[in-house]
Amino acid sequence: MYGFKKFDLHFQTNKLPTHVYQFKKNRCSKDMFVSLRWAALLCTGTLVYGSYSTFVNLCEVDGKIPFNSSSVVLMMEIGKFLVSAILLHASGYELHPPSLSLCLPFALPAVLYFINNNLAVHMQLQMDPASYQVLSNLKIVSTAILYRLIIKRNLSLNQWLSVGILTFAGFCNSYGGLQEKGEMKTAGEIHVTILGLVMMVIYCTLSGLAGVATEYILKKNVVMSLHYQNILLYMFGIVINFCSWFLQEMDHPKTESQFHPFRGYSVFTWMIVVTQATNGLIMSVIMKHASNITRLFVVSCAMLVATGLSVSVFNTRINSFFVLSLILVLVALCLYHIDRK
């Protein structure tokens, strides 16, 4: 008798009213939808980021980049600007003329992205696609240090250990790529030049600084529409890259192709424009609503995509140093994210 009463009391206590049950059910469905949307966003970002070095190498003609890098980056910025403008209009966000104090902060990341995006194109001539993606993980090192200095974010012992492992992984991959010297290497061989290493250090440092600066600016005004903030950022990007393209065209031989924005373009060049414009928009969402740590997770996972594409498209011969670097990067990734709930 006592057991029955206890059971009955338990049953009555846990029975939820219909409207409460329906609310929880709808909330659960909404959370699941948001999770799936984030998963799709991160997977797409990983795929498009990982394909970049492969597309650039497919564009090469006789070991040279046939197009003006500033022209390609300019097309990316215009594409992102137009998409952001359309999304802003569709959202019905009430526009106000931006003040100078609101616009100017976006100039810093715009300049940094201008340097990095152009540098990334020319770096492909100094290393193979797989090595480029592995060495790009050194962004974690620069971002971690800058997070600590600028945003005052404390890192755990495991995270600092992962930074050290990543640095060692970069040395291993570089050493393996520098073993064979002589004729120019192709995308089908693991190789890195001294100039490529210098460019990579500059690239990762500026990338970390640009990422931290962008996240700080986007989150400083949380209520402002992301699309509006993107428009301000891409506006500077368009101006800077247009000026760079115009000045470079001034030095180009006076032919019919001078000042032709699409000179040297191919199908793969347009694939770079579309995928990297998509990547830029995805990264802005991540930095606005997540963090640079999530962005670096995408960059790291893209290493596997780039390696797979490199092997399948260029029949890249993987050496032992590259395999060791790949394993070390994966271990570092696990250590870096092990403390995150």
Side-chain angles (χ1 to χ4, degrees):
M1 185 70 178
Y2 177 78
F4 176 78
K5 286 184 178 179
K6 185 177 180 181
F7 172 79
D8 184 62
L9 179 63
H10 177 76
F11 176 78
Q12 292 295 332
T13 303
N14 286 277
K15 187 176 180 181
L16 296 173
T18 304
H19 69 280
V20 176
Y21 173 77
Q22 191 63 38
F23 172 78
K24 289 196 171 186
K25 184 179 179 181
N26 293 339
R27 180 64 181 270
C28 183
S29 300
K30 184 178 179 181
D31 290 344
M32 184 178 296
F33 176 73
V34 172
S35 298
L36 289 173
R37 197 163 58 174
W38 266 105
L41 188 77
L42 296 176
C43 287
T44 303
T46 301
L47 290 173
V48 297
Y49 192 93
S51 66
Y52 174 73
S53 54
T54 299
F55 284 136
V56 175
N57 277 274
L58 287 172
C59 290
E60 289 182 20
V61 177
D62 298 327
K64 297 181 179 179
I65 302 295
F67 52 81
N68 187 321
S69 60
S70 292
S71 168
V72 171
V73 179
L74 175 62
M75 292 302 114
M76 294 180 199
E77 297 298 308
I78 292 175
K80 291 184 288 186
F81 180 89
L82 291 176
V83 171
S84 297
I86 292 170
L87 292 174
L88 181 66
H89 177 73
S91 68
Y93 184 79
E94 187 178 350
L95 286 175
H96 298 284
S99 62
L100 188 61
S101 60
L102 179 64
C103 293
L104 278 181
F106 289 94
L108 174 60
V111 171
L112 295 174
Y113 285 129
F114 157 71
I115 298 172
N116 253 26
N117 289 335
N118 282 277
L119 190 62
V121 174
H122 297 285
M123 282 168 57
Q124 307 307 318
L125 299 176
Q126 309 299 325
M127 63 191 71
D128 63 280
S131 293
Y132 167 79
Q133 207 63 53
V134 169
L135 292 174
S136 290
N137 283 279
L138 292 174
K139 290 179 181 180
I140 295 181
V141 178
S142 59
T143 303
I145 295 173
L146 289 168
Y147 245 53
R148 182 69 184 89
L149 295 176
I150 298 175
I151 302 185
K152 307 300 181 184
R153 178 191 176 96
N154 293 319
L155 299 180
S156 68
L157 179 61
N158 283 332
Q159 289 176 322
W160 281 117
L161 182 60
S162 72
V163 168
I165 294 175
L166 275 173
T167 306
F168 182 68
F171 283 131
C172 286
N173 186 74
S174 304
Y175 180 76
L178 291 170
Q179 289 305 289
E180 301 177 13
K181 299 180 181 180
E183 73 275 3
M184 182 179 295
K185 304 298 180 182
T186 65
E189 300 172 271
I190 297 295
H191 68 279
V192 184
T193 66
I194 295 295
L195 177 59
L197 288 177
V198 174
M199 295 170 75
M200 180 58 76
V201 171
I202 296 172
Y203 173 78
C204 289
T205 303
L206 294 181
S207 177
L209 182 58
V212 172
T214 302
E215 180 181 344
Y216 177 80
I217 294 169
L218 292 179
K219 289 181 175 177
K220 188 177 180 181
N221 197 335
V222 182
V223 296
M224 182 181 291
S225 167
L226 173 62
H227 308 311
Y228 189 39
Q229 290 176 313
N230 278 342
I231 287 175
L232 296 177
L233 176 61
Y234 303 145
M235 179 179 65
F236 281 106
I238 290 172
V239 173
I240 295 169
N241 282 283
F242 176 80
C243 292
S244 174
W245 169 77
F246 186 83
L247 291 174
Q248 290 179 58
E249 289 300 302
M250 292 285 287
D251 293 332
H252 190 269
K254 293 184 178 181
T255 60
E256 291 183 0
S257 63
Q258 187 183 26
F259 292 107
H260 195 301
F262 308 131
R263 185 181 64 251
Y265 275 39
S266 65
V267 174
F268 297 116
T269 314
W270 284 110
M271 288 297 292
I272 294 172
V273 172
V274 173
T275 55
Q276 294 313 298
T278 303
N279 180 63
L281 292 168
I282 290 174
M283 290 301 178
S284 68
V285 174
I286 290 174
M287 285 188 281
K288 174 78 170 181
H289 300 291
S291 70
N292 265 284
I293 306 303
T294 307
R295 178 181 73 94
L296 293 174
F297 181 76
V298 170
V299 172
S300 300
C301 291
M303 170 185 62
L304 302 176
V305 175
T307 303
L309 287 174
S310 187
V311 171
S312 59
V313 176
F314 303 114
N315 296 316
T316 302
R317 296 186 293 275
I318 303 299
N319 60 33
S320 57
F321 289 99
F322 181 86
V323 174
L324 176 60
S325 300
L326 193 63
I327 294 172
L328 288 173
V329 168
L330 292 174
V331 170
L333 275 175
C334 292
L335 277 174
Y336 197 87
H337 295 280
I338 199 171
D339 294 329
R340 289 177 59 81
K341 295 183 179 179

Short mmCIF file of all heavy atoms in Angstrom, two decimals, residues 247-260 263:
data_model
loop_
_atom_site.label_atom_id
_atom_site.label_comp_id
_atom_site.label_asym_id
_atom_site.label_seq_id
_atom_site.Cartn_x
_atom_site.Cartn_y
_atom_site.Cartn_z
N LEU A 247 47.21 50.14 -59.39
CA LEU A 247 48.63 50.49 -59.40
C LEU A 247 49.46 49.40 -60.08
O LEU A 247 50.43 49.72 -60.80
CB LEU A 247 49.12 50.71 -57.96
CG LEU A 247 48.57 51.95 -57.25
CD1 LEU A 247 49.01 51.97 -55.79
CD2 LEU A 247 49.01 53.23 -57.97
N GLN A 248 49.10 48.15 -59.87
CA GLN A 248 49.83 47.06 -60.52
C GLN A 248 49.59 47.06 -62.03
O GLN A 248 50.50 46.75 -62.81
CB GLN A 248 49.40 45.71 -59.93
CG GLN A 248 49.88 45.50 -58.50
CD GLN A 248 49.43 44.17 -57.94
OE1 GLN A 248 49.73 43.12 -58.50
NE2 GLN A 248 48.69 44.22 -56.83
N GLU A 249 48.38 47.41 -62.43
CA GLU A 249 48.07 47.47 -63.86
C GLU A 249 48.80 48.62 -64.55
O GLU A 249 49.10 48.55 -65.74
CB GLU A 249 46.56 47.61 -64.07
CG GLU A 249 45.77 46.36 -63.74
CD GLU A 249 46.17 45.17 -64.58
OE1 GLU A 249 46.08 45.27 -65.82
OE2 GLU A 249 46.59 44.16 -63.99
N MET A 250 49.12 49.65 -63.81
CA MET A 250 49.88 50.77 -64.37
C MET A 250 51.27 50.31 -64.83
O MET A 250 51.83 50.84 -65.80
CB MET A 250 50.03 51.88 -63.32
CG MET A 250 48.74 52.59 -62.97
SD MET A 250 48.19 53.74 -64.24
CE MET A 250 49.40 55.06 -64.03
N ASP A 251 51.83 49.32 -64.12
CA ASP A 251 53.15 48.80 -64.47
C ASP A 251 53.09 47.68 -65.50
O ASP A 251 54.13 47.21 -65.97
CB ASP A 251 53.86 48.28 -63.20
CG ASP A 251 54.20 49.40 -62.24
OD1 ASP A 251 54.39 50.54 -62.71
OD2 ASP A 251 54.26 49.14 -61.02
N HIS A 252 51.89 47.23 -65.82
CA HIS A 252 51.73 46.14 -66.79
C HIS A 252 51.98 46.67 -68.20
O HIS A 252 51.63 47.82 -68.51
CB HIS A 252 50.32 45.55 -66.68
CG HIS A 252 50.14 44.29 -67.46
ND1 HIS A 252 49.70 44.29 -68.77
CD2 HIS A 252 50.35 42.99 -67.13
CE1 HIS A 252 49.63 43.04 -69.19
NE2 HIS A 252 50.02 42.24 -68.22
N PRO A 253 52.62 45.86 -69.08
CA PRO A 253 52.85 46.30 -70.46
C PRO A 253 51.56 46.78 -71.12
O PRO A 253 50.49 46.19 -70.92
CB PRO A 253 53.38 45.03 -71.14
CG PRO A 253 54.01 44.25 -70.04
CD PRO A 253 53.17 44.53 -68.81
N LYS A 254 51.67 47.83 -71.90
CA LYS A 254 50.49 48.42 -72.55
C LYS A 254 50.02 47.55 -73.70
O LYS A 254 50.48 47.67 -74.83
CB LYS A 254 50.80 49.83 -73.03
CG LYS A 254 51.04 50.82 -71.88
CD LYS A 254 51.25 52.23 -72.40
CE LYS A 254 51.45 53.21 -71.23
NZ LYS A 254 51.64 54.60 -71.69
N THR A 255 49.10 46.68 -73.39
CA THR A 255 48.49 45.80 -74.38
C THR A 255 46.98 45.90 -74.24
O THR A 255 46.46 46.64 -73.40
CB THR A 255 48.94 44.35 -74.17
OG1 THR A 255 48.52 43.92 -72.86
CG2 THR A 255 50.46 44.21 -74.28
N GLU A 256 46.27 45.11 -75.03
CA GLU A 256 44.82 45.12 -74.97
C GLU A 256 44.31 44.58 -73.63
O GLU A 256 43.20 44.91 -73.20
CB GLU A 256 44.24 44.27 -76.11
CG GLU A 256 44.44 44.88 -77.49
CD GLU A 256 43.79 44.05 -78.58
OE1 GLU A 256 43.21 43.01 -78.24
OE2 GLU A 256 43.88 44.44 -79.75
N SER A 257 45.12 43.74 -73.00
CA SER A 257 44.69 43.14 -71.73
C SER A 257 44.98 44.02 -70.52
O SER A 257 44.60 43.68 -69.40
CB SER A 257 45.38 41.78 -71.54
OG SER A 257 46.78 41.94 -71.46
N GLN A 258 45.69 45.16 -70.74
CA GLN A 258 45.96 46.05 -69.61
C GLN A 258 44.65 46.59 -69.03
O GLN A 258 43.74 46.95 -69.78
CB GLN A 258 46.86 47.20 -70.03
CG GLN A 258 47.32 48.07 -68.85
CD GLN A 258 48.16 49.26 -69.30
OE1 GLN A 258 48.03 49.72 -70.43
NE2 GLN A 258 49.01 49.77 -68.41
N PHE A 259 44.56 46.63 -67.73
CA PHE A 259 43.37 47.07 -67.00
C PHE A 259 42.17 46.14 -67.23
O PHE A 259 41.03 46.53 -66.99
CB PHE A 259 42.99 48.51 -67.36
CG PHE A 259 43.99 49.52 -66.88
CD1 PHE A 259 44.84 50.16 -67.78
CD2 PHE A 259 44.12 49.81 -65.53
CE1 PHE A 259 45.78 51.08 -67.34
CE2 PHE A 259 45.06 50.72 -65.08
CZ PHE A 259 45.90 51.36 -65.98
N HIS A 260 42.44 44.92 -67.70
CA HIS A 260 41.37 43.93 -67.82
C HIS A 260 41.29 43.18 -66.49
O HIS A 260 42.23 42.45 -66.14
CB HIS A 260 41.66 42.96 -68.96
CG HIS A 260 40.47 42.15 -69.36
ND1 HIS A 260 39.80 41.31 -68.48
CD2 HIS A 260 39.80 42.04 -70.54
CE1 HIS A 260 38.79 40.73 -69.11
NE2 HIS A 260 38.76 41.16 -70.35
N ARG A 263 41.91 39.22 -66.52
CA ARG A 263 43.03 38.67 -67.29
C ARG A 263 43.62 37.45 -66.56
O ARG A 263 43.94 37.50 -65.38
CB ARG A 263 44.13 39.72 -67.46
CG ARG A 263 45.29 39.28 -68.34
CD ARG A 263 46.37 40.34 -68.49
NE ARG A 263 47.03 40.64 -67.23
CZ ARG A 263 46.87 41.78 -66.57
NH1 ARG A 263 46.08 42.73 -67.05
NH2 ARG A 263 47.50 41.99 -65.43
#
